[in-house]
Amino acid sequence: AALLPRPARGLTDRLYCGRRVCYEVLGVSRQASKAEIARAYRQLARQYHPDRYRGEPAGGEGDGAQAAHEKFLLIAAAYETLKDEETRKDYDYMLDHPEEYYRHYYHYYSRRLAPKVDVTIVILVTVCAISVFQFFSWWSSYNEAINYLATVPKYRIQATEIARQQGLLNKTKEKGKNRRSKEEIREEEEEIIKDIIKNKIDIKGGYQKPKIYDILLFQILLAPFYWCKYIAWYCWWIYCFTIKGQEYGVEEKLYIIRRYMKMSQSQFDSLEDHQKETFLERQLWIRENYEV
């Protein structure tokens, strides 16, 4: 029953100027221009503003400061309704179609509760804030990962060998006046090993160095490019392997296996090379072999 059309009520206390017509409150016609509405408002505001009221009769609405204050609020509500073109259009529609009760409520409160700041600016600032947090968070995680990899024998031995070949570790053991304590030498060697792991060793998967193009802001800006690139790649795949019937290469085979395994690119890259070789030996790009 609540959803059924309600009878026409005309003006209501909770919308716009209540039971009064906003045009009549300002003393203007419905054809009045914005300048005429603003002029009428200024004249009435000077007359009924609480700061200017000195105890004279408020006239028409009763005597006293309280009546003048209520009159001023009504004048302000009328001006707020009629000064904006969109709000005035909604109000005129309500005067002409008082039976559309729920529609008037929706338009009135949707405009009152709408954010005053441009939504585009809010979204842009939010995306930028998330992107900055995302970038610094990734760098923090990356540095923690490097500290961890420096303790993994595979990467530590490889980095130490590169450092010895380049003579970097020998420089830390200088004698004479430049001689340092064992603690200082150890700390410097650790920094050298971490630096080599960062710059000299190919780290894949979740330990890769953060890239600015991976943050949310650039992903949104480059989304059309990525979509076009994916569509072009997909068309090439259909043409080469479905229409022409070409055999899959190593990269294509690994791509199909990764899709079967439902792994992201970084997860798949973090696997050891011998694991991928095992996948290829077992021909897991063939669905039947993978299921087995």
Side-chain angles (χ1 to χ4, degrees), residues 23 26 28-42 79 81-86 88:
Y23 292 101
L26 295 180
V28 296
S29 65
R30 288 187 60 173
Q31 291 73 36
S33 63
K34 293 181 68 173
E36 292 173 338
I37 292 172
R39 186 165 54 250
Y41 166 73
R42 286 194 296 269
Y79 179 65
T81 300
L82 301 179
K83 74 174 183 178
D84 182 73
E85 289 293 337
E86 295 299 323
R88 183 178 180 180

Side-chain angles (χ1 to χ4, degrees), residues 44 76 87 110 118 125 153 237 259:
L44 292 172
T87 307
S110 64
D118 189 355
V125 171
W237 183 281
R259 292 297 300 270

Side-chain angles (χ1 to χ4, degrees), residues 228-260 265 285-286:
C228 294
K229 185 178 178 181
Y230 174 78
I231 292 172
W233 172 86
Y234 188 76
C235 293
W236 169 83
W237 183 281
I238 295 295
Y239 175 74
C240 291
F241 304 115
T242 303
I243 298 177
K244 296 184 66 177
Q246 295 181 2
E247 292 187 1
Y248 295 125
V250 175
E251 292 297 326
E252 288 75 25
K253 293 175 182 178
L254 290 175
Y255 168 76
I256 295 173
I257 294 171
R258 180 174 68 82
R259 292 297 300 270
Y260 287 161
Q265 187 66 54
W285 67 88
I286 301 175

Side-chain angles (χ1 to χ4, degrees), residues 20-220:
R20 296 287 303 276
V21 178
C22 293
Y23 292 101
E24 295 178 357
V25 171
L26 295 180
V28 296
S29 65
R30 288 187 60 173
Q31 291 73 36
S33 63
K34 293 181 68 173
E36 292 173 338
I37 292 172
R39 186 165 54 250
Y41 166 73
R42 286 194 296 269
Q43 292 175 351
L44 292 172
R46 284 195 296 267
Q47 181 180 353
Y48 292 101
H49 196 283
D51 293 340
R52 292 176 174 270
Y53 182 73
R54 295 293 183 270
E56 297 87 350
E61 299 295 327
D63 298 336
Q66 182 62 31
H69 179 68
E70 293 176 359
K71 178 71 173 180
F72 177 77
L73 293 179
L74 182 61
I75 293 168
Y79 179 65
E80 288 294 324
T81 300
L82 301 179
K83 74 174 183 178
D84 182 73
E85 289 293 337
E86 295 299 323
T87 307
R88 183 178 180 180
K89 189 182 299 184
D90 291 340
Y91 183 70
D92 288 343
Y93 188 87
M94 187 187 77
L95 295 178
D96 297 333
H97 304 84
E99 72 279 359
E100 299 183 21
Y101 184 79
Y102 292 111
R103 183 182 189 278
H104 305 322
Y105 261 87
Y106 168 75
H107 282 284
Y108 176 76
Y109 284 106
S110 64
R111 294 196 185 279
R112 285 181 63 90
L113 300 177
K116 303 301 180 182
V117 182
D118 189 355
V119 177
T120 305
I121 297 177
V122 175
I123 294 175
L124 181 60
V125 171
T126 303
V127 169
C128 291
I130 293 174
S131 300
V132 171
F133 173 79
Q134 195 177 35
F135 187 70
F136 284 103
S137 176
W138 282 350
W139 265 108
S140 177
S141 300
Y142 174 69
N143 290 327
E144 291 179 4
I146 295 298
N147 293 334
Y148 165 72
L149 292 178
T151 64
V152 176
K154 171 186 173 181
Y155 292 101
R156 188 175 185 84
I157 293 172
Q158 190 176 351
T160 304
E161 186 63 29
I162 294 174
R164 284 177 180 155
Q165 291 174 359
Q166 296 180 355
L168 298 175
L169 294 181
N170 296 331
K171 294 180 180 179
T172 63
K173 300 178 181 179
E174 296 174 349
K175 298 180 180 181
K177 295 181 179 180
N178 297 327
R179 188 174 182 179
R180 285 162 293 174
S181 65
K182 292 182 179 180
E183 184 66 24
E184 291 175 338
I185 294 174
R186 191 185 65 80
E187 290 179 359
E188 187 171 345
E189 288 179 351
E190 284 295 321
E191 291 301 321
I192 291 173
I193 290 173
K194 291 176 184 178
D195 188 64
I196 290 175
I197 292 176
K198 284 183 181 180
N199 302 312
K200 303 293 184 180
I201 299 178
D202 183 22
I203 304 174
K204 297 181 179 180
Y207 298 129
Q208 285 180 317
K209 185 179 293 186
K211 299 177 182 178
I212 194 170
Y213 295 107
D214 292 334
I215 64 176
L216 179 62
L217 178 62
F218 281 95
Q219 289 292 307
I220 294 174

